[in-house]
Each structure stands twice: as C-alpha cells, then as structure tokens.
Amino acid sequence: MSAVEPRRVIATVCLSGTLEDKLAAAAAAGFDGVELFENDLVVSAASPAEIRQRCADLGLTIDLYQPFRDFEAVPPDVLRANLRRAERKFDVMEQLGVDLVLVCSTVSPDAVDDDELAAEQLRLLAERAAARGMRVAYEALAWGRFVNTYEHSWRIVRRADHPALGVCLDSFHVLSRGGDPALIRTIPGEKLFFLQLADAPQLDMDVLQWSRHHRLFPGQGAFDLPTFVGNVLSTGYRGPLSLEVFNDVFRQADPKPAALDAMRSLRLLEEQVGFPVAAPAPELSGHAFAELTVDEVAGAKLAETLAALGFERTGEHGSKPVQLWEQGGARVLLNAKAETPGTAVIGALAVETGDPSSSALRADAMHAPVLPRTRGPQEANLASVAAPDGTEVFFCSDSWLADFSGAGASPVPGLGITGIDHVALTQPFDHFDEAALFYRSVVGLRPEPIAEYAAPFGMVRTRGVVDPTGSVRIALTGTLVRRGEWAPAVRDPQHIAFACEDVLAAARALRERGAPVLRVPDNYYDDLDARLDLDRELLVQLRANSVLYDRDEHGEYLHVCTEILGSRIFFELVQRIGGYAGYGVPNAPVRMAAHRRQRLAADG
Amino acid sequence: MSAVEPRRVIATVCLSGTLEDKLAAAAAAGFDGVELFENDLVVSAASPAEIRQRCADLGLTIDLYQPFRDFEAVPPDVLRANLRRAERKFDVMEQLGVDLVLVCSTVSPDAVDDDELAAEQLRLLAERAAARGMRVAYEALAWGRFVNTYEHSWRIVRRADHPALGVCLDSFHVLSRGGDPALIRTIPGEKLFFLQLADAPQLDMDVLQWSRHHRLFPGQGAFDLPTFVGNVLSTGYRGPLSLEVFNDVFRQADPKPAALDAMRSLRLLEEQVGFPVAAPAPELSGHAFAELTVDEVAGAKLAETLAALGFERTGEHGSKPVQLWEQGGARVLLNAKAETPGTAVIGALAVETGDPSSSALRADAMHAPVLPRTRGPQEANLASVAAPDGTEVFFCSDSWLADFSGAGASPVPGLGITGIDHVALTQPFDHFDEAALFYRSVVGLRPEPIAEYAAPFGMVRTRGVVDPTGSVRIALTGTLVRRGEWAPAVRDPQHIAFACEDVLAAARALRERGAPVLRVPDNYYDDLDARLDLDRELLVQLRANSVLYDRDEHGEYLHVCTEILGSRIFFELVQRIGGYAGYGVPNAPVRMAAHRRQRLAADG
C-alpha cells in the first residue's frame, strides 16, 4: 500500500456538543479535517465564514458538507425547488470554503424509480456545482427508496457522466447489507469522491435504526473494515479516510476523549491496511504487577488480606510509600498515597515486555496520553500511559524490581498462587468500547466477544482483552444503561484475580485463617446441583468454602472471592482446569448480590 | 366481563435490586403476588422457606416459579438429567410453597422436532409434578426452536392430556410474532394455567433481543393488550394477570416507583377490559394554572418577564407568598417558597375539571401519590397528586381563584396571550414511559407518538400527552441515554408555552420592551429559506424577531422563546395556524444550542 499517510477526517456528527466543542476536540485529537454536518452549522451562532476561520485557526480543513437529501428522480416542480435549495447550500459552502457536498440517495415519496431520470437530474446538479467550482458525491443509503447499493449509485453516476459527480462510499451502508466490497475495485479511483468509515456490532434489526443508534468506530464492531478499505485503496483512491459514526453514547459523551478514541480507531485501521504506525505492539510475557492506590486504613486491611492469601511483603520502594507483595509470579504494590479515607482502587497495572521503549513509542503513536512521572536518579524509567478509565498502564521489563529493597517475610505459607490471572476493571459507562479499542491498539491485546447478563442492579456486559499468548488478561465490565441514584452499595468494584493451583485447598486455608472470604448463599449450590449434577463431594467442598464453579466445552473454572476491601477492591483466586477461557460470568450476579449484602451488613 | 377483580401479580424480573428489594416494592405497590424469577432466588441469602415467610409477612403469594428451560423432546439420557433437575426445582418450590412452574419451549440443540415426543415427555413431567401436588405451565417462546406459537404449545398440551399440564400465555410471545389472539378462545379456560402480560414498542428487530431489552408495561407500547386479555378472559380464565417485563431501564431503576408504574398499567388495562376502576377520568376544560417555585431573586426576574409578556399581577394568596399573574386565560403562580438561590422550576400544574372530587378518587385508585396540603380555613380544597418527576398536579374548578385577593395592574398592554398552550417538562431518564402512563391513567390524557431527534448534547425524545378535546397539553421530553458529566449548561429545562394570537407582533413588542428573548442564529433562517422557500417578508420578520417556524401537513407553527430564567425555566409564545398539532420539535436543537450560548455568556 501507499506509504503516504492518508488525510484523517471526522464527521462532526460523531461528537457531542456545539460545533465549537466538536471542532476543538477534533483538532486536539490530531484530525486533519472534518465533515461538517449541516445541523451542527444550523444551530451555531457563528456564520459560515467564521466557522471557516475557526477551522483554519485550528488547522482543520472542511472536507465535506453533508447531507443533502432527497434530490433526484423527481417531477419538474420538485426539481426546481431542489435546485433552489442546492443553490442556497452552495452559498453556504462557498462561505465555508468547502467544495464537496454529499447527496444521499432519495427516500422521498416524490421520487420515482427511474435511473435515467436520476442520472439526468444529478448531472444537472453537478453542472450547477461545477459552475461554482464544487463537486457532488452521491451516496447510496442502505435504506434508499430505489438506490440502496453502491453498485447502483455507481451505475447512476456513470450514466450521468459528469466530472463534478462522483460516488461517496460509506462502509456501513455497504457492509450492513452484506454487500461485496470486492466490486468496489470496478470503480475508477478518481470517481470515488469520498470515503466514510463506520463499524457496527452485528445486529439483526431495521437497518435505519441500526445506523442511527449503533454505529461504532472502526475496530469496535463486527465489520471487516480492513478488507473494505483495502479494496477502496486499490482503486487508486487517495482521498481522506473519514469517520462517520452515529452512536447514542458518543452523541452525549465528552467529545475530547471520544475524538481520541476515534483517532485511535483510524490509526489501527491504517496499520491494518498497510500504513506503518510506529512500532508494532511488542510481545508481552505477563502481568508485571498491579498497583493499588490506598489510604492508610484501607492499606492496612489490604496488607492483612494479602498476608492471609499467603503473599510475602518483599520490598519497600526507595522513595515512595509503596510496599511490594509477592507470591509465585504475582506481584502487588500497595501505594499509600491516597488521602481520602477508605480509598482502595487499582491505580495502575503493568505488563511485561521485552521492549518497553517500543511499547512507549507505539502508545504515543496511538495517542495514548503519556503520564508524567517523578522518579529518583537511581530508579527505573517506566513508561506509562493513561487508559480511558484513568488507570495507569506501565510497560516494563523486570528492572523495576531494583527500585525495591527487601522487607519482612510472610507470616503464613503461600496458597499456591502462581501469578495474576487477570485484572478486572469496571468501566465508566461512556468508555466501554473505547477501553477495548485502547487495549487493542495501544497494548496489542485482543478483544474477546462481549458477554451480556442480567445483574441484580441492571444489565451488565463484560469482555476480556487478552494478549495472543494468554499471558495478560484484563476483564472490562460496564453497564448497558448508565446507572442513576438507585444502585448497588459498591459502585464500580475492581478486582485482581490471582491464578491458583488449587482453589479449594486455598479457600479452606483462608477460612482457617479467618480471611474475609465472600460468603456464597446455599441457593447457589442448590441450583448448581440441579443444573450440573456435580460430584457429591465436590459440591460439598464448594459449598463449605464458598467457591464458585463454572464450566464450558473446554474445561472448568473454580473461583473464590474476598469481601470488598476499602472503597472498591476485592481479590479473587481462580483455577482454570483444561481449556476454560472465560471469567465465570454466570456467577457474577451471585457475587454482586453477596458483595451488596456484605456492605449493607457493614453499614447497618 | 366479570366484576370480581383479578389477582394482580408481578414477576420479580420486572424490578431492580435484590429479591428483598423487589418483594418490598411489589407489596408496597399493592400487588397480590409475584412470579419468582429463579435467578432472584439463586443470588439470595434467604432460604426458600425464609422467602416464603417474607412473602407471607408482606401479604404476597408466590404464584409461579420460573423459568424451567429446555426440558422436552430430548434423548433419554438428557431426559433423565432434566427430570433430576426438575425434581430439585420441585424441592425448592415445595419450600417456597408455590405449586406452579413455568416451562418454556425448548431452544436446546439436544432437542428434536417431534411433537409426539415433546407431549410424552411433558406428560411425564406433569406426572412427577402432580405426585408432589404441583402443576406445569408450558409456554411457547417466540424464538422457541420448534414450538414458537401458542397454538403449537396448546396442541402439545392437548396431546399430552394431563390435568397437571396446561398452557402459559405471554402477550409478548404472541403479539411480537403478529399472532392472532382470537384463536385463544379455542383453549378451555381451565387449561390456561397462567397469563403473562407485557407491552412493547413496535420494533423491527430480532425478537429475542426485542423481548430481553425493550418490553414495557401494558399501555406503554404498541400492542393491543385489551383485545388480547379480552380473549383470554372470554375462555373463562380467572387466574392472575401477571406482568412480565424485561426492560433495561426498569432493571436498573428504583423498584418502588417502578412497581407503582406497573400497578398503574395493570389498573388501566383492567379498566379497558371491563373491570371498574373508581370513576372514569372527568372531562377537562383547560389548564387552570401553572405554578413556578422560585426564590426571591429568580422570582423577581420571572415577575419582570411576565410583566414584559403583558401579564397582569392580579392577586396575592391569602396565606402564602404566592402571586397570581394573568393574561387572557393564562394564569401563572409565582410561589416564592424556595430557599436555594436562583431556583425556578415548575412546581405544579393544574387542570380544570368540572368534577375535582371524581378526579381525586380516580387518582387515588390509580395509585397516584396524593400530596398533603396545608390550607387556611377559608381556602379552596384542592386535590393534588405527585407526578413521577415530582411535579404537583392539581385538579380544580375555578373556586381556587377565591384564595387570591386583588393586586396591582400590569405595567404594559397584553400581547394577545389567550391561555396556556402546553407545559413542557423534562423527565428524569428512568421515568419517561412512566410519566406518559401516569398522565394517561390518572389524568385521562392521551399519549401522542414519540418524536426522537438528535440534539447537540445527545439523542432526545419528546411526546405530548393531550386531553381528548385538546384543551390540556403536556410535552414530556427525555434523553435516550442517561446523561453523564458532559452535559449542556442548563440541565432539564422546563417551560410554559402560552397560546398567542400573533406571535410575530408579540415578538416585536418584546424586542421593544427589552425582554430577554432568546436570540436565534442567522444560520437557522438561511436553512429555513433553503428548505421551505418562505414568503420573503415573513422570513425577514421571523429573522428580525428570533421567531421559530415549523409546518406540517395540517398547518403552521410560529414560536418564540425567552432566555432561561433562574435555574431552568423559560417561557414560549406559540401560535398554531390551521391544524398544526405538534410542538416545533425540528426547532428544538436550535433552541437548546441557543440556551447553552446564553448560559455560557452569562457565566463569563
């Protein structure tokens, strides 16, 4: 593919706010230009000339004015009105300094099914545009009344045969209908005037509603955009790659992170179609550590619990109030920098890479916010970036351990913990899809399918992001609807799940040690018995030790949780038997209800 | 129809929270019983016997245990496991004291398409149930693998021919597939073991996803439930009317108001099928008044603006800090009881009825929370209830005016305002559908279709609720997604729209009086010109006076807004020409952006 980077454009309709908010966010995220959505202009107090100036000041071009609807294949009186309407819009475009207008295939009851007439009238429009130095990009809406495939729009454009008339391709309109993107190669690149990109989850619903509410940025949905874009580029198209995403969540989310999310999606797509983006994500070899940010009180409780879990306090940081706790390959840092009483949150997670500087380079190229860091002169230089939920993500080799000096031994024997299995982060509502894309593009993790389930306080979805070798797993959880006042006792719990060789034995030991193990109700085990007909003795042991159980076609999963410690942390011990690759999702509602009971009991 | 009231039941899955939360909410809303959703029990720490006792203490029966899935038409080894599973669930039911279990038609890959086998195995299950004094209700899921219509489930039940096996009907499963409810009359009432009711919006999407996420309480969607229930009752069915609604919003909303909403939906449905519910809603003759709750500062600003709008201050309340302002038939009360600086909200709206006591009786029967009221010995006894958003709704004849003594005259001439056209209330996210049902069931207003549109800060929906004569209109607005931190400058604005004989003339007068008219940008008028090709002079006048314009197939609409006054109030003057029946929804985004500009400018 070409090594010349494409122009990166975003439609203002992708972002929330006034036009001013949108332009500022697009510029800050590094976009080269925007598609100006008409309604964003209509509600603005700035004149088109002022918008043009604002864009210039921000370093943004306006690449497309859109949409112009219901133009073609109409009776003469409607055509007259439509041409008048077009001239008024050309006036606006002139002041904006934009020379390309998007015309969507008609959905008007005034239109007729007549390709010849459509071509003739579009040619007329192209002549009017050309007279003003402008061009027209004709797009087949997936729900167009007569024209709803790109092949059809191209036939009409070809028939109209005017240099100022070309095709606009929109990946959603093509892929939502199961269109074959290979045929795109039959269109000459110079007749492709514009390329709009959107991904979407695979939904079985009315295509108009799907398009209006559920589009996603590339890489967040189910569409094969690399193949689609590859076909477009092979025609010789060298115009912008432009994002046009209608999404209920993005429409009301802070436009600044949303624009960064959009940019990341575009950079990843560029990489997939052959444009080099800094370094590829280096291979990972595991979780280096997870760091908990705590205050003194919660820190003491967590330290006590880590000790009960068999962790050894192996080090103190040279210059910061940070303890290192280890067992097997699992390392937890307790950083007592929090001032709010009771604070216990996952402040950072660290992945092991053989090449931290490549990781940092890639993170920067993928627009991950690099975090400033104070360090002593002898301390390891750890690169870190902020994930969408604010969690700090470190890329490190093992040199960071040198920052810690030895400390006391563990009071009790270990429990067979061998490492961190996964870190589970509850995502803020607006950032669920953004988070998966962040870990994919920046860290090189692969998003797993989304599991959706009914929890006691609302619908929840979970997806893992996992490195190709399975050594790094992060479980992302979010609600389907943003929660209001009515909510569980613990908001947005987070946890660290430790891989354990024998969860039942560990759970027994925890019980003996009086550790704060989360109590699982009998009803759960009665249901487990009814559903799975487990071995009697196993069921007795699970029940006696509050161990949760799941199985799939590949294997089994045993897991036990602690109570919530501090504001929103718990630990989990997990045992994967056979090829089980999930996270015990069917048990999540049981755990959530139990944590609520724990908290209500503590409060009451 | 029968005059004996049916038992009112709600499935625990309709409500949010732990089982304890759900049972408490159902009992408080006056339900007689519940369908116990298995997962609600599984996550509970209370034993089945304890749940039974809790229900008894709350005056609730448990009418159904559900669901039991994937039972029938399977090979012998799977049948053995399924019967074992059933016996374990019968154990649980025994402890719960419930004798009816719901069996859903299978979706299992283990099942075969064999009605004879299905009937034989269901008969076996019924025998096992009967041996324990229990019964089985077989339900056709709309997405059942082989059995997905109620006619088919009834054929299998008939073939199985066991007294402990009957049919469960679910309105969603029947009506979502466009099933004919008239055929229900071919099923003997005694073989209808249970009736589940859900409404839904008419969506064109996968029926499983539609069912899981978008069900609504009866009267909130598009289904014809009165006809459906009428057919069921005509069979002689005298079992419970039970609500089973899976809805993403209800699943995470406070269960107490949600249960009341559910109860209201059931009472309305009962009335529609012939069970008398107190008095019918009396005919209304208009808005009696709207009351603004203000603090001193916002009150002064609102008084000043009402004066500029040509209102006359005609009275003071005898015992409260309330001013009466009048023009034509429009009456606004300013109640200076707020303490928070800047407060300006619609505290109450009042509708005129010839029979306030019937209205109050009906409101009470419809479970509207009746509000306490302090009044002086000579004052009118106004019945009032709380709408879901907390707005006080009064039912009154004109006697309330006697509570006010005369006050000063208006400083300027009137502006041709003839009354209140509508009151517009932004609804809390969780209460949009509930609000429409409230005004329908309690006040007797008719919900209009929902209009959905993209506003600068997210998707918004609006629907009017209007009395049959068009004399009382309330416009309800809500967001599709609950807003987070990123949001417009004014949250949840409310307004009173006054009917005006000549909005253009009024707007000119307002400009001359220096009233705080909301400035509408030029871009809006340029777009209006392009779209509608209005008369030149009209366009000039609209533009010069910041008057908004809309038209539909029935007529035209001119409207002008004030700036936001105090925390979240503005006034609007509206002029309906011809049969225009809307609210100028296409102009709402323009108005929202303009209000944000006004606020940002004011903030500095």
Side-chain angles (χ1 to χ4, degrees):
Chain A
M1 297 291 160
S2 164
V4 179
E5 291 197 348
R7 290 177 50 71
R8 300 178 188 103
V9 170
I10 186 167
T12 55
V13 76
C14 300
L15 302 171
S16 185
T18 62
L19 184 53
E20 291 76 3
D21 297 323
K22 295 171 185 219
L23 294 177
F31 280 94
D32 301 308
V34 296
E35 290 179 35
L36 187 57
F37 193 72
E38 182 163 278
N39 276 22
D40 286 321
L41 177 68
V42 167
V43 308
S44 173
S47 71
E50 287 165 343
I51 296 295
R52 175 186 200 158
Q53 186 57 50
R54 181 152 331 180
C55 287
D57 293 346
L58 289 165
L60 292 171
T61 52
I62 305 178
D63 291 79
L64 182 77
Y65 186 77
Q66 63 119 326
F68 191 82
R69 298 188 193 278
D70 294 335
F71 174 78
E72 77 281 18
V74 290
D77 59 321
V78 180
L79 178 65
R80 265 192 305 279
N82 288 353
L83 283 171
R84 179 185 177 282
R85 177 159 59 99
E87 292 286 357
R88 294 291 76 75
K89 295 303 175 185
F90 292 157
D91 295 345
V92 170
M93 288 169 61
E94 206 157 64
Q95 296 166 59
L96 286 167
V98 53
D99 68 357
L100 187 62
V101 63
L102 175 75
V103 172
C104 304
S105 62
T106 189
V107 298
S108 168
D110 289 332
V112 293
D113 185 9
D114 182 338
D115 284 5
E116 188 64 42
L117 188 63
E120 187 185 300
Q121 296 184 346
L122 283 167
R123 184 183 168 89
L124 203 56
L125 183 66
E127 283 168 3
R128 298 282 191 103
R132 303 181 67 159
M134 294 173 182
R135 298 182 308 148
V136 173
Y138 182 57
E139 174 185 62
L141 297 177
W143 54 90
R145 188 158 170 224
F146 307 115
V147 178
N148 44 45
T149 66
Y150 74 87
E151 298 96 318
H152 198 170
S153 63
W154 166 230
R155 281 199 303 277
I156 290 175
V157 165
R158 201 170 42 190
R159 182 177 293 199
D161 191 24
H162 192 283
L165 181 67
V167 166
C168 173
L169 283 180
D170 178 316
S171 62
F172 181 88
H173 292 304
V174 177
L175 300 175
S176 64
R177 294 180 51 103
D180 180 359
L183 303 179
I184 292 172
R185 289 174 297 153
T186 63
I187 309 176
E190 72 273 13
K191 293 305 279 184
L192 288 180
F193 280 10
F194 209 74
L195 175 61
Q196 295 178 315
L197 297 171
D199 203 344
Q202 197 61 54
L203 299 174
D204 176 9
M205 67 187 299
D206 173 65
V207 70
L208 171 58
Q209 295 301 321
W210 187 13
S211 173
R212 271 199 193 151
H213 298 285
H214 302 289
R215 289 188 179 205
L216 291 169
F217 292 123
Q220 294 179 333
F223 290 168
D224 179 2
L225 286 168
T227 298
F228 181 85
V229 173
N231 278 301
V232 174
L233 295 177
S234 74
T235 66
Y237 175 80
R238 292 297 174 268
L241 302 186
S242 184
L243 300 169
E244 193 200 28
V245 170
F246 309 93
N247 178 290
D248 289 352
V249 173
F250 301 155
R251 274 192 198 272
Q252 57 81 66
D254 186 338
K256 286 207 176 64
L260 271 178
D261 182 30
M263 176 54 81
R264 230 171 262 137
S265 82
L266 206 43
R267 299 305 294 251
L268 183 65
L269 180 57
E270 287 173 31
E271 184 177 45
Q272 289 166 331
V273 298
F275 295 103
V277 176
E283 196 172 307
L284 304 180
S285 53
H287 291 269
F289 62 82
E291 177 172 320
L292 297 168
T293 302
V294 295
D295 80 318
E296 207 172 311
V297 176
K301 181 76 189 162
L302 284 161
E304 188 187 316
T305 306
L306 284 168
L309 289 170
F311 276 75
E312 187 178 357
R313 182 168 149 194
T314 54
E316 305 287 337
H317 194 274
S319 68
K320 296 171 188 165
V322 183
Q323 302 172 359
L324 169 63
W325 290 77
E326 291 190 75
Q327 181 177 183
R331 286 172 293 272
V332 176
L333 303 185
L334 290 186
N335 186 335
K337 70 180 175 189
E339 282 167 13
T340 309
T343 300
V345 301
I346 294 178
L349 57 90
V351 294
E352 282 175 357
T353 153
D355 187 358
S357 58
S358 280
S359 290
L361 213 64
R362 181 178 179 81
D364 188 51
M366 284 295 177
H367 298 256
V370 176
L371 293 169
R373 190 161 170 81
T374 56
R375 63 180 174 108
Q378 303 301 317
E379 293 169 22
N381 183 9
L382 297 180
S384 82
V385 294
D389 67 355
T391 303
E392 199 168 350
V393 178
F394 286 94
F395 304 101
C396 48
S397 57
D398 55 7
S399 65
W400 65 277
L401 279 165
D403 294 350
F404 290 83
S405 58
S410 174
V412 293
L415 289 185
I417 286 172
T418 56
I420 291 177
D421 181 89
H422 63 276
V423 175
L425 301 171
T426 305
Q427 295 302 297
F429 175 76
D430 290 331
H431 299 284
F432 187 82
D433 292 314
E434 181 188 348
L437 185 69
F438 173 90
Y439 287 108
R440 180 177 181 188
S441 59
V442 175
V443 189
L445 306 184
R446 294 182 184 166
E448 298 175 329
I450 293 173
E452 199 177 281
Y453 55 96
F457 295 89
M459 297 294 291
V460 172
R461 53 184 177 162
T462 292
R463 84 187 304 179
V465 287
V466 183
D467 86 297
T469 68
S471 69
V472 172
R473 291 173 180 271
I474 301 169
L476 306 170
T477 297
T479 56
L480 288 199
V481 174
R482 192 201 303 276
R483 289 216 168 107
E485 295 299 309
W486 168 256
V490 189
R491 285 188 90 110
D492 303 337
Q494 302 176 314
H495 73 273
I496 303 173
F498 300 113
C500 178
E501 289 165 345
D502 185 341
V503 159
L504 272 177
R508 273 191 295 268
L510 288 175
R511 193 171 45 147
E512 284 156 16
R513 291 172 189 182
V517 171
L518 183 69
R519 180 76 192 276
V520 175
D522 272 339
N523 294 341
Y524 168 76
Y525 296 100
D526 293 343
D527 180 61
L528 208 56
D529 177 33
R531 285 193 290 121
L532 302 181
D533 195 9
L534 293 180
D535 170 81
R536 285 290 90 185
E537 180 52 26
L538 174 61
L539 187 69
V540 166
Q541 288 300 318
L542 293 173
R543 189 191 297 259
N545 297 291
S546 283
V547 173
L548 299 159
Y549 178 90
D550 190 27
R551 71 184 179 206
D552 62 15
E553 63 275 34
H554 307 297
E556 295 173 291
Y557 191 62
L558 275 69
H559 53 139
V560 64
C561 299
T562 69
E563 297 183 345
I564 297 274
L565 307 164
S567 52
R568 57 186 184 118
I569 292 293
F570 67 95
F571 298 119
E572 186 178 27
L573 305 188
V574 312
Q575 181 180 358
R576 296 177 186 277
I577 301 172
Y580 183 93
Y583 303 88
V585 159
N587 300 325
V590 177
R591 187 247 297 156
M592 291 172 178
H595 274 145
R596 174 167 158 103
R597 273 193 296 279
Q598 173 220 329
R599 270 302 156 98
L600 292 186
D603 292 350
Chain B
M1 296 290 159
S2 164
V4 179
E5 291 196 349
R7 290 177 48 71
R8 300 179 188 104
V9 170
I10 185 167
T12 55
V13 77
C14 300
L15 302 171
S16 185
T18 62
L19 185 53
E20 291 76 2
D21 296 324
K22 295 171 185 218
L23 294 177
F31 281 95
D32 300 308
V34 296
E35 291 179 34
L36 187 56
F37 193 71
E38 181 163 276
N39 276 22
D40 286 321
L41 177 68
V42 167
V43 307
S44 172
S47 71
E50 287 165 344
I51 297 295
R52 176 188 199 157
Q53 187 57 50
R54 179 151 332 179
C55 288
D57 292 346
L58 289 166
L60 292 171
T61 52
I62 305 178
D63 291 78
L64 182 76
Y65 186 79
Q66 63 118 329
F68 192 82
R69 297 189 193 277
D70 294 335
F71 174 78
E72 76 281 18
V74 290
D77 58 321
V78 180
L79 178 64
R80 267 192 304 279
N82 288 353
L83 284 170
R84 178 184 177 283
R85 176 159 60 99
E87 291 287 358
R88 293 292 76 74
K89 295 302 174 185
F90 291 158
D91 294 344
V92 170
M93 289 169 60
E94 205 157 64
Q95 296 166 61
L96 286 168
V98 53
D99 69 357
L100 187 62
V101 62
L102 175 74
V103 172
C104 304
S105 63
T106 188
V107 298
S108 169
D110 289 332
V112 294
D113 185 8
D114 183 338
D115 284 4
E116 188 63 43
L117 187 64
E120 188 184 298
Q121 295 183 348
L122 283 167
R123 184 182 168 89
L124 203 56
L125 183 66
E127 283 168 3
R128 298 283 192 102
R132 303 181 67 159
M134 294 173 183
R135 297 182 308 148
V136 173
Y138 182 57
E139 174 185 61
L141 297 177
W143 54 90
R145 187 158 170 225
F146 306 116
V147 178
N148 44 44
T149 66
Y150 75 88
E151 298 96 318
H152 196 170
S153 62
W154 165 230
R155 282 200 302 275
I156 290 175
V157 165
R158 199 171 43 190
R159 183 177 292 199
D161 191 26
H162 192 284
L165 181 68
V167 166
C168 174
L169 284 179
D170 178 316
S171 61
F172 181 88
H173 292 303
V174 177
L175 300 175
S176 64
R177 293 180 52 100
D180 179 0
L183 304 179
I184 292 171
R185 287 174 298 156
T186 63
I187 308 175
E190 72 274 12
K191 293 304 277 185
L192 288 181
F193 280 11
F194 208 74
L195 175 62
Q196 295 178 315
L197 298 171
D199 202 344
Q202 196 62 53
L203 298 173
D204 175 9
M205 68 186 298
D206 173 66
V207 70
L208 171 59
Q209 295 302 321
W210 185 14
S211 172
R212 273 201 190 148
H213 298 286
H214 303 289
R215 288 186 180 207
L216 291 168
F217 292 122
Q220 296 179 332
F223 290 169
D224 180 3
L225 286 167
T227 299
F228 180 86
V229 173
N231 278 300
V232 174
L233 295 177
S234 74
T235 67
Y237 174 80
R238 292 296 174 268
L241 303 185
S242 183
L243 300 169
E244 193 200 28
V245 170
F246 309 93
N247 179 290
D248 289 352
V249 173
F250 302 155
R251 274 191 197 272
Q252 57 81 65
D254 186 337
K256 288 208 174 64
L260 270 178
D261 182 30
M263 175 55 82
R264 229 170 262 137
S265 81
L266 206 43
R267 298 306 295 250
L268 183 65
L269 181 58
E270 287 172 31
E271 184 177 45
Q272 289 166 330
V273 298
F275 295 104
V277 176
E283 194 173 310
L284 304 180
S285 53
H287 292 269
F289 61 83
E291 177 173 320
L292 297 167
T293 303
V294 294
D295 80 319
E296 206 172 309
V297 175
K301 179 78 189 161
L302 284 161
E304 189 187 314
T305 307
L306 285 168
L309 288 170
F311 277 76
E312 188 178 357
R313 184 167 148 193
T314 54
E316 305 284 338
H317 193 274
S319 67
K320 296 171 189 169
V322 183
Q323 303 172 358
L324 169 63
W325 289 77
E326 291 190 76
Q327 181 178 182
R331 286 172 292 273
V332 176
L333 304 184
L334 289 186
N335 187 334
K337 70 181 174 187
E339 282 166 14
T340 308
T343 300
V345 300
I346 295 178
L349 58 90
V351 294
E352 282 175 359
T353 154
D355 186 358
S357 59
S358 279
S359 290
L361 213 64
R362 180 176 180 82
D364 187 53
M366 283 296 176
H367 298 256
V370 176
L371 292 169
R373 190 161 170 81
T374 55
R375 62 179 175 110
Q378 304 301 318
E379 294 168 20
N381 184 10
L382 298 180
S384 81
V385 295
D389 66 356
T391 304
E392 199 168 351
V393 177
F394 286 93
F395 303 99
C396 48
S397 58
D398 56 8
S399 64
W400 64 278
L401 278 166
D403 294 350
F404 290 83
S405 58
S410 173
V412 291
L415 289 184
I417 287 172
T418 56
I420 291 176
D421 180 89
H422 64 276
V423 175
L425 301 171
T426 305
Q427 295 302 297
F429 176 76
D430 290 331
H431 299 284
F432 188 82
D433 291 314
E434 181 187 348
L437 185 69
F438 173 90
Y439 287 107
R440 180 177 180 185
S441 60
V442 175
V443 189
L445 306 186
R446 294 182 182 167
E448 297 176 329
I450 293 174
E452 199 177 281
Y453 56 94
F457 296 89
M459 297 294 292
V460 172
R461 52 184 177 161
T462 294
R463 84 186 305 177
V465 286
V466 184
D467 85 298
T469 69
S471 70
V472 171
R473 291 173 181 270
I474 300 169
L476 306 171
T477 297
T479 56
L480 288 199
V481 173
R482 191 200 303 277
R483 289 218 167 106
E485 294 300 307
W486 169 256
V490 189
R491 286 188 90 108
D492 303 337
Q494 302 176 316
H495 74 272
I496 304 173
F498 300 113
C500 177
E501 290 166 344
D502 185 342
V503 159
L504 271 176
R508 272 191 295 269
L510 288 175
R511 194 171 46 147
E512 283 157 16
R513 292 172 188 181
V517 171
L518 183 69
R519 179 74 193 278
V520 175
D522 273 338
N523 296 340
Y524 168 76
Y525 296 100
D526 294 343
D527 181 62
L528 208 56
D529 177 32
R531 285 194 290 120
L532 303 181
D533 195 9
L534 293 180
D535 171 80
R536 285 290 88 184
E537 182 51 26
L538 174 60
L539 187 69
V540 166
Q541 289 300 318
L542 293 172
R543 189 191 296 259
N545 296 293
S546 282
V547 173
L548 299 158
Y549 179 88
D550 189 29
R551 70 183 179 206
D552 63 13
E553 65 274 33
H554 306 296
E556 296 172 290
Y557 191 61
L558 275 68
H559 52 140
V560 63
C561 300
T562 70
E563 297 182 347
I564 297 276
L565 308 164
S567 54
R568 58 185 183 116
I569 290 292
F570 67 95
F571 298 119
E572 186 178 29
L573 305 187
V574 311
Q575 180 181 358
R576 296 178 186 277
I577 302 172
Y580 183 93
Y583 304 88
V585 159
N587 300 325
V590 177
R591 187 248 296 157
M592 290 172 178
H595 274 144
R596 174 167 159 102
R597 272 193 297 279
Q598 173 222 329
R599 269 302 156 100
L600 291 186
D603 291 351

